[in-house]
Amino acid sequence: MTPRRTAALAHGVTRLARDLTGQSSKELTALVAEQSACTERGARLVEQLASGQLASGEARATMRRLEHAGDAVRAKLVGLLGTVLATPIDAEDLFRLSRSIDDVLDNLRDFVREVDLYHPASLELESPLARALAVGAARPHQTVEQLGNPRAGAPRARLAARQ
């Protein structure tokens, strides 16, 4: 057996052991939680922008970094999903959840970009909505963190996330 095939076999055995011991599920859950945390931070940033605590140029630069971080985490998640045998929830649902989280972050980025581009006189009308969005963005993050431990209050967190 060639050294390359030996290394590939060793990697496959390691991956199988991670799947059988539940480590892959924990890794997937951690990636979705990290992606959701980026979206939560983006929503908090929009809240600060709408309330006037943050300048639009600074918000745009910070949002760009958050959005790139969220995309990088999503890329890792999608790559890992293709190699894992067992997932905490259906792999297609996990992919869909990740895509939805990414869509929210993309929309937040677009909002910040347009505020920086058009410099509206006031964001007073957007402030209550931004506050509600920031509160709502925290819910999926809390729920995802509990995926691996269904007895830790996940049913209540799922209900809150749906609301």
Side-chain angles (χ1 to χ4, degrees), residues 98-151:
S98 174
R99 184 181 62 218
S100 296
I101 291 169
D102 184 57
D103 288 346
V104 171
L105 187 57
D106 288 346
N107 286 321
L108 292 170
R109 178 209 55 211
D110 292 344
F111 175 80
V112 170
R113 184 184 308 156
E114 289 175 9
V115 167
D116 188 47
L117 181 65
Y118 297 115
H119 298 290
S122 171
L123 293 174
E124 185 178 317
L125 292 175
E126 288 81 1
S127 191
L129 179 61
R131 192 173 311 109
L133 183 60
V135 170
R139 300 289 191 197
H141 182 216
Q142 294 164 354
T143 303
V144 167
E145 286 182 330
Q146 296 175 358
L147 270 178
N149 188 2
R151 295 186 184 133

Side-chain angles (χ1 to χ4, degrees), residues 7-105:
L9 181 62
H11 178 72
V13 170
T14 302
R15 174 54 76 199
L16 180 62
R18 289 180 58 78
D19 284 347
L20 293 176
T21 60
Q23 291 295 29
S24 295
S25 290
K26 289 177 185 175
E27 191 174 346
L28 287 169
T29 303
L31 287 170
V32 175
E34 187 178 343
Q35 183 187 13
S36 184
C38 288
T39 301
E40 182 181 356
R41 287 193 299 272
R44 295 282 176 208
L45 184 130
V46 167
E47 180 182 25
Q48 291 175 339
L49 176 64
S51 67
Q53 298 172 6
L54 195 61
S56 63
E58 184 182 347
R60 186 173 183 178
T62 304
M63 182 60 82
R64 183 180 307 119
R65 286 190 299 273
L66 280 173
E67 204 268 332
H68 287 309
D71 285 346
V73 172
R74 177 163 163 70
K76 283 185 206 173
L77 175 75
V78 170
L80 186 59
L81 268 175
T83 63
V84 174
L85 293 175
T87 58
I89 60 174
D90 183 59
E92 189 175 315
D93 291 340
L94 211 66
F95 180 84
R96 194 175 302 121
L97 173 63
S98 174
R99 184 181 62 218
S100 296
I101 291 169
D102 184 57
D103 288 346
V104 171
L105 187 57

